[in-house]
Amino acid sequence: MRRDRSCEQQRLPFFGGFDGAAVTLNLNAGFLLDLQGVSETNADGIGLYRTEMPFLALRTLPDVKAQQSLYRQVIDEAKGKPVTFRTLDVGGEKLARALGPEIGEPTNPALGLRGVRLGLAQPRLLETQIAAILRAAMHGPVRILLPMVGTANDIVRVRAVLHRVYGRLKKAKVRLPDQMPPLGAMIEIPAAALAVRSIASAADFLSLGTNDLTMYTLAIDRGDEHVADLYDPLHPAVLQLIYTAISGAQAAGVPIALCGEMAGDPRYTSLLLGFGLREFSMRP
Ligand code: PEP
Ligand code: MG
């Protein structure tokens, strides 16, 4: 890591040692407007593109063409830098009107049909999104990230869908990249952090979602102002899980990033570097 002059100019404390380790700083985005941040910040890429945003806003589901065109715009804006598209993460606090019938009215939405569980329960939804990402992937490097992964089997099942859709599009002579995009998993359920070695065996990369990891570990709703003062990513149990995930991924030789709000908060930077984290993804 090299000394960052901007820290000196702003009189921010600089904690890093000068050990030459490379640290990747990526951007989180969810709207096209966010993408200006790529050039403004000179980020290394987009570490988390939250694809659910149009699903949350629209009354009807965007079809494959609409999704492909959106993903193409994101890839174009990234100008050759890698884009990590996270598949649909609705459910819980992210309610999508267009998906009302699929999700139903769960008594406890945070623990219900959400993230990758919804995609596996409604394969057409997942297949449409994967087809749109694969078609757009002709225009730049992409990765596919799965939200709310609980077991290695979630990844194995989505990988089968990925191969099926790729094969179907190839047969239909659609232009596709020669290589299948890497498939990764969010580590945001405590069980996934504890079982990181097993999850890493099925994934090409991992990304820690500390917003949800904190919520599920502490049983504190991230959106409830009545318990907001208890929501603490520095709780020893949360830190234990973050460290377990980072060290487990490293032992398995699988890259791991952190894309929760912690990544962009300088109060946590030295701690996360000390835990061995070398890839951060944050707001512009
Ligand atoms: C997280 O949970 O930390 C995360 C990055 O995802 P989201 O905030 O979109 O749930
Ligand atoms: Mg999350």
Side-chain angles (χ1 to χ4, degrees):
M1 178 181 238
R2 267 178 295 150
R3 179 173 282 279
D4 179 354
R5 296 251 166 249
S6 65
C7 285
E8 287 170 4
Q9 281 154 15
Q10 297 172 44
R11 295 177 186 278
L12 293 175
F14 182 83
F15 298 109
F18 305 104
D19 59 1
V23 175
T24 301
L25 298 183
N26 282 329
L27 200 74
N28 288 351
F31 295 103
L32 289 174
L33 201 65
D34 298 334
L35 298 171
Q36 292 170 356
V38 181
S39 51
E40 283 170 11
T41 64
N42 198 24
D44 294 307
I46 298 177
L48 169 64
Y49 192 85
R50 292 180 164 103
T51 60
E52 56 273 8
M53 294 310 177
F55 287 84
L56 301 186
L58 298 174
R59 278 182 181 277
T60 52
L61 295 177
D63 63 9
V64 70
K65 281 256 146 43
Q67 289 189 50
Q68 180 188 347
S69 134
L70 175 68
Y71 304 152
R72 165 84 197 265
Q73 286 179 69
V74 178
I75 292 166
D76 286 349
E77 287 290 333
K79 299 191 172 62
K81 293 177 175 176
V83 180
T84 304
F85 287 106
R86 186 178 67 187
T87 58
L88 194 56
D89 186 23
V90 298
E93 82 288 354
K94 298 175 189 130
L95 296 173
R97 264 186 298 182
L99 283 163
E102 280 82 356
I103 296 173
E105 286 185 12
T107 43
N108 198 339
L111 305 181
L113 196 55
R114 56 171 309 188
V116 72
R117 299 172 192 168
L118 176 65
L120 289 169
Q122 303 283 337
R124 281 264 284 286
L125 212 56
L126 182 65
E127 286 182 18
T128 305
Q129 185 164 40
I130 285 180
I133 296 172
L134 285 175
R135 284 166 177 265
M138 272 311 288
H139 305 280
V142 310
R143 306 194 301 177
I144 299 177
L145 177 61
L146 306 174
M148 301 299 295
V149 167
T151 69
N153 195 39
D154 292 339
I155 308 162
V156 171
R157 290 177 64 194
V158 175
R159 203 182 284 283
V161 174
L162 183 59
H163 281 273
R164 191 163 67 239
V165 174
Y166 188 91
R168 179 164 52 75
L169 294 176
K170 264 265 173 251
K171 221 164 152 191
K173 305 252 181 304
V174 174
R175 281 184 351 115
L176 297 176
D178 294 334
Q179 303 271 327
M180 199 82 77
L183 182 64
M186 293 281 294
I187 301 292
E188 52 187 345
I189 298 177
L194 291 170
V196 65
R197 293 294 288 269
S198 151
I199 294 198
S201 70
D204 299 318
F205 66 98
L206 302 173
S207 193
L208 269 157
T210 46
N211 305 338
D212 279 314
L213 187 64
T214 304
M215 170 169 93
Y216 289 114
T217 305
L218 303 181
I220 292 168
D221 187 341
R222 61 192 266 191
D224 186 338
E225 61 185 53
H226 297 101
V227 284
D229 57 328
L230 300 174
Y231 182 92
D232 181 13
L234 288 184
H235 188 292
V238 180
L239 294 182
Q240 179 76 56
L241 289 173
I242 294 172
Y243 180 69
T244 299
I246 295 171
S247 51
Q250 284 172 346
V254 173
I256 185 161
L258 193 152
C259 63
E261 291 300 312
M262 276 184 101
D265 188 332
R267 288 175 301 171
Y268 306 128
T269 310
S270 55
L271 175 68
L272 295 171
L273 286 169
F275 279 0
L277 188 74
R278 294 293 180 265
E279 188 178 335
F280 296 67
S281 192
M282 63 192 78
R283 294 184 204 190

